[in-house]
Every structure is written in C-alpha cells, then in structure tokens.
Amino acid sequence: MAGRLIVVSNRIPTEGASSGGLVVALHDSLSERGGIWIGAHPDDGPEDGLFEIGSEPYQRLAFRLSKSEYENYYLGFSNSVLWPLCHRRSDLVQLKPVYMESYEATNRRLASMVASVTEPGDQIWVHDYHLLPLASELRSLGVNNKIGLFLHIPFPALADLSILPDPSAFAHWLACFDLVGLQTRADTARCLEMFRSDPRAEFFQDGSVKFGDRLVRIKSFPIGIAADRFRTRAETPQDDPFGAERPQEYIIGVDRLDYTKGLPHRFRAFGEYLKRYAEGRRPCLVQIAPPTREVVDAYRQITEELEELSGRINGQHAELDWTPIRYIHRPIARDRLAGVYRSASACLVTSLADGMNLVAKEFIAAQDPDDPGVLILSRFAGVAEDMTDALLVNPYDVADIAQAIDKALNMPLEDRKTRHRSCRDVVEATDVDIWTSNYLAALDACPGSLSVSDIFDRLQRRGASENVTRKKETTIGR
Ligand code: ADQ
C-alpha cells in the first residue's frame, strides 16, 4: 500500500475524550502506515487554518468551525437535513437555503486545507455524512489521489432524496469518491438504485458505476468493535458499578439520546411487559442515554417525552424498594459499561433506523458464553442483517417488544448459548481491525486516476464488460 493515509472526519478525537473501537482502529492504521487525521476541534477558538494537536506517530490536525458554520453546516444541513433524511424521518427535515450554502462552503474550506497537506500517493479516507461534498471539492482543486468515503448512517431511500434542495448533487458528490463504503447490503442496494435512476450513470458488471468522467465502487463493509479488547474489559473484575443499588435482574439499554433509537417505544414496551407478563418478577430497565444535540428542537422534544414516560411508568409500577426504569442521562465510562453489559439478563436495541449499532455488538462481546444474556434487536438496525439469531423485533410494535422481553427473561440456558454463539461469530467476523483493513485494501484496489479507456480494457480482459458502451477517452480522477 503506497503513500500515507489521511483520515478526515467531522470531529477530531481529542486527549481525554473516551475512545470507541473506531477511533482506536483508525489510530492503529495511522500509526502503522503514517499519515494525518484531520477534523474539527470541539472547542471554540480562532478560526484560522489547520493546527497541530497532540503528538502521535502520525499528525493530528484540527480546524475550528465558525459560529455560523456550527449552526448552519453542522446543526443545520448535517443534523437537521441529512441525519433525519437518511433515517427515514423526512418529517423532521428543516430546509433553509443557508444550510446548504454553508454545508458546501464549509466542505470547500476544508478541502483547501486537506489539499494543502496532501502529497502524491496519499490516500484520503473521509468519514460520514457531514463531508459528502469533500471529494468533489478536492477534485476541483486538482487532487486526483484515491479518496474513499465511509457512510456510518443508513443510505437514504430514493424517494426521500427528492426532498433535498438539489437532489442531483447527491449522486455527483458520491461519484467523486473512488470508493463509497456503506454499512449493509441493503444500503448498497439503495445507493445503486439511486445511480440506476440517474441518466448520468452507467454500470460496469463488477458493480462499479461510471458517472461522467469518474468511476466509483460501491460496497458494504459492516463496521464492528474491537471484540477482544471489549471482552477482556468485560472479564476484568471491577468494583460493582451499581454498588448497594444492584438490581436483581435487569435489561440494559445504552444509546445516545436520539429520536432514531426508538427510546419511547422501548419505554412503552417495558411498561407493557410489566403490565402483561411480569407477575412475580421485579426486573429493571437500566437505560443510559446522555443527551446530544440538545439545541435541535427534535432532541429537546424526545428528552421531554422520555422524562414524562419514565415518570409515568415508574409511578404506575414502582414499590418502596423497586424502581422499574432507571434512566441515566449521562455517558458511562467504557470500562464500566462492559461490566454493566455482562451482568445484564438482556439488552434492548430498538432503533427505528440505524447504520449498524455497535451497542448490540458490545453487548454480545461482553457476555459470559456459559451464561449469556439475550439480545433483543430491532430489525431496522444494520446489525440485524447479519445477526439473525438475536431476538428480532419490530420496534414500532410495542406488543412485539414486550413479548420478546418475556421470552428473553425466560429463555432456557441452551437456547441462550446457541443464539449467543451465532451472534458472537458475527461480532468476530466484523471486528473493527478486519473492517479497517478490508476497507483500505478495497480503496487500494480502486483503479484511481485511470482513463475510462484504460478501465474498459482492464475489465474487458477480465471478460466482465460486455454491457459497457465504450465512450470517448476521458481522464478519470481530475
Ligand atoms: P451512533 O449513532 O453513535 O453511531 P452506536 O453504534 O450505537 O451509535 O454507538 C456508538 C458508540 O457509542 C458505542 O461504542 C457505544 O458504546 C457508545 N455509546 C452510546 N451511548 C452511550 C452511552 N450512553 N454511554 C457511553 N457510551 C455510549 C453511528 C451510527 C451507528 C453506527 C456507528 C458506527 O449511527 O449506526 O453503528 O456510527 O459506524
């Protein structure tokens, strides 16, 4: 693999911030290969260009978002347009001309910073929906290095894309990457459907899409966790995180407080379970959900809704020595989280839409294989595409979830073990280190800035291009 790796993400991880598997995996790849991580610094400050933070075996370069960029590019277009759109909540999309302008302008500004540190042979790996136009902006600055995108959230449905102020821009943005990595096969199918509906696109039989003078590959790379590290954490004895307040039996939920995670449905389903099935038992739902993006209206509303629901359900069912829902509004340290997962009887993941959902994989990795808890998993989380031996539920159907809770809490040991083994195989097969190396190998294998004619000849040699119309020679990758 030639050249350095340049990772670009919306946020750069800073010292002291808790690091998930993805951050560690990218950190490892950068340390091994050398390169640069570029992203916005979370703190306010002067908005000059890139500045170096921390000393690592690779460079970490941060930039600052202006107040207007934060409001319009980040909270606006990224989180009030693209986030709801990709999660099938077009009812929550808020369109303002300034959002799109700022989104494009911020990506243009970032592109000039990225271009200024890019050398020939470097490969650029862009992360997520905040940065979709980045490759297009880099191409217009003459950067013809290989550029890959990984989209962490679901690929939107074709019909929803027409809500965008300029729907045709979406395909153009993506086509400026050499590789578009998506979470699931269903995401890939939706992405290809978008290109199929676009008269500018042509298809090679190997699945690549020719779009104008560019060729883009589209493939799913289901993201995972650092399974070994997480399991070791879970197995390491630690002080009981519950102290004297340990519930006898509990179901765990761990989410960012987001309307896509189906939290009100989960609370209602737990209330329904208590009403219908819990005779003689006193299980708790321990829900950890720190608020995020509180300044966006939709997030304020869900915070209020959950407080109201947990208050009502606890009011109906609590006893002097039992609070059914323990709702914790703070993040919890990863070491403690592993232990909390391990001693739970079940985990509830009820996403209405979710790119993958790493909580499901963390829960499975943390279990004792000889006495595992049960994963109750929404069919609409990306992870459900492969983890078919979890207890799959329809998160919109409160009765279905309530019944699954009852089934999980009464499941015989042998059944729990069989399901856990199968889910654990998925966690291991998609370990984040495997994910990183698969993605980077695929980016490396992309043809990069070859002419359409070169690519045509290559594919023809492989006997894979009967359906491709030979076009006049153009240069790919400008
Ligand atoms: P998220 O929407 O943030 O990520 P998810 O994958 O569930 O969702 O969680 C990411 C990480 O955050 C996990 O490691 C989890 O432990 C941690 N986390 C979540 N809530 C927490 C809490 N309350 N306290 C402590 N830690 C918490 C996006 C997409 C997902 C996709 C990931 C990775 O929305 O679908 O799986 O990126 O690609």
Side-chain angles (χ1 to χ4, degrees):
M1 209 180 275
R4 302 173 305 170
L5 176 64
I6 301 180
V7 170
V8 191
S9 59
N10 170 58
R11 275 283 169 89
I12 196 155
T14 46
E15 302 295 339
S18 86
S19 298
L22 172 64
V23 171
V24 175
L26 291 175
H27 172 92
D28 289 351
S29 299
L30 283 161
S31 306
E32 214 170 273
R33 190 170 154 180
I36 310 176
W37 191 328
I38 300 174
H41 198 280
D43 299 337
D44 293 342
E47 298 142 30
D48 289 339
L50 293 172
F51 56 96
E52 192 148 357
I53 54 165
S55 55
E56 309 277 357
Y58 58 90
Q59 266 189 309
R60 283 197 299 153
L61 300 177
F63 63 95
R64 300 207 198 260
L65 292 174
S66 68
K67 188 166 178 288
S68 147
E69 285 172 337
Y70 180 73
E71 278 167 13
N72 299 306
Y73 144 81
Y74 178 73
L75 292 176
F77 201 77
S78 299
N79 287 314
S80 300
V81 180
L82 290 176
W83 179 269
L85 182 89
C86 292
H87 288 91
R88 288 188 253 131
R89 289 301 305 268
S90 35
D91 56 312
L92 295 177
V93 168
Q94 291 187 12
L95 292 176
K96 289 189 192 170
V98 65
Y99 286 175
M100 174 81 165
E101 283 157 27
S102 175
Y103 184 69
E104 291 188 308
T106 307
N107 272 276
R108 198 169 310 129
R109 181 167 89 85
L110 177 57
S112 67
M113 294 189 271
V114 175
S116 72
V117 296
T118 301
E119 293 170 5
D122 289 345
Q123 292 181 359
I124 303 173
W125 189 3
V126 177
H127 286 263
D128 233 355
Y129 61 103
H130 315 84
L131 305 176
L132 300 181
L134 192 64
S136 156
E137 297 295 346
L138 284 165
R139 300 303 180 201
S140 55
L141 293 172
V143 174
N144 64 8
N145 300 55
K146 287 184 192 174
I147 312 179
L149 168 76
F150 186 76
L151 185 66
H152 290 257
I153 65 175
F155 195 87
L158 181 60
D160 290 342
L161 278 169
S162 55
I163 291 164
L164 289 175
D166 177 9
S168 68
F170 208 85
H172 165 73
W173 290 337
L174 294 189
C176 291
F177 291 94
D178 294 282
L179 176 65
V180 170
L182 301 164
Q183 297 275 24
T184 64
R185 297 183 292 282
D187 290 312
T188 304
R190 282 194 293 275
C191 181
L192 290 173
E193 190 191 6
M194 175 195 72
F195 278 116
R196 264 190 208 106
S197 73
D198 193 315
R200 295 169 295 178
E202 293 173 56
F203 286 82
F204 284 123
Q205 280 195 344
D206 72 344
S208 317
V209 178
K210 178 181 165 314
F211 194 90
D213 65 351
R214 295 219 41 86
L215 190 80
V216 57
R217 286 188 175 165
I218 296 147
K219 195 172 178 311
S220 66
F221 299 85
I223 198 169
I225 59 164
D228 272 353
R229 275 171 264 166
F230 207 82
R231 192 172 34 248
T232 308
R233 266 194 198 131
E235 285 168 359
T236 308
Q238 54 178 314
D239 293 342
D240 187 344
F242 291 101
E245 302 301 317
R246 168 170 283 275
Q248 268 182 343
E249 178 178 50
Y250 67 96
I251 300 165
I252 182 74
V254 178
D255 307 77
R256 282 184 307 98
L257 209 169
D258 194 289
Y259 51 80
T260 62
K261 304 289 183 185
L263 292 164
H265 306 66
R266 186 180 309 177
F267 280 19
R268 282 194 196 97
F270 187 65
E272 190 68 11
Y273 162 78
L274 293 176
K275 220 186 299 171
R276 286 224 230 151
Y277 302 99
E279 184 83 43
R281 295 182 98 123
R282 286 177 158 198
C284 281
L285 170 62
V286 177
Q287 177 63 54
I288 302 160
T292 51
R293 304 175 197 154
E294 283 162 300
V295 283
V296 176
D297 265 355
Y299 289 83
R300 262 202 301 266
Q301 279 165 21
I302 185 153
T303 308
E304 282 166 18
E305 187 178 1
L306 289 177
E307 276 163 12
E308 194 268 324
L309 269 172
S310 57
R312 179 146 49 85
I313 294 166
N314 281 340
Q316 279 165 359
H317 299 277
E319 305 279 351
L320 286 175
D321 55 352
W322 174 50
T323 309
I325 299 184
R326 292 199 198 170
Y327 175 31
I328 299 151
H329 291 256
R330 281 178 309 282
I332 166 164
R334 300 187 68 72
D335 290 341
R336 302 182 88 202
L337 192 57
V340 174
Y341 282 136
R342 191 173 175 87
S343 47
S345 303
C347 174
L348 263 174
V349 173
T350 51
S351 316
L352 306 176
D354 214 332
M356 178 56 56
N357 194 288
L358 296 180
V359 167
K361 294 192 176 182
E362 290 170 350
F363 174 76
I364 292 294
Q367 295 310 297
D368 173 358
D370 293 327
D371 185 18
V374 179
L375 175 62
I376 301 170
L377 177 61
S378 159
R379 284 197 237 136
F380 303 126
V383 60
E385 192 170 86
D386 291 323
M387 225 180 245
T388 47
D389 280 325
L391 268 188
L392 297 184
V393 291
N394 174 358
Y396 292 95
D397 185 345
V398 162
D400 188 32
I401 307 173
Q403 201 175 28
I405 295 173
D406 183 50
K407 186 168 176 186
L409 296 183
N410 289 301
M411 191 178 285
L413 178 62
E414 276 318 304
D415 196 2
R416 281 191 280 133
K417 280 160 78 169
T418 311
R419 284 175 185 271
H420 174 255
R421 254 196 312 275
S422 160
C423 293
R424 197 187 50 194
D425 289 347
V426 175
V427 173
E428 276 164 18
T430 57
D431 186 280
V432 73
D433 292 333
I434 300 174
W435 175 81
T436 314
S437 54
N438 284 349
Y439 185 92
L440 290 174
L443 181 59
D444 204 41
C446 286
S449 28
L450 292 174
S451 70
V452 168
S453 165
D454 290 337
I455 291 162
F456 181 86
D457 289 343
R458 266 190 189 190
L459 290 170
Q460 204 168 39
R461 276 201 299 277
R462 296 208 316 246
S465 62
E466 308 91 67
N467 291 344
V468 178
T469 326
R470 192 166 186 145
K471 292 260 171 177
K472 72 177 173 29
E473 189 160 319
T474 38
T475 301
I476 295 209
R478 269 174 311 186

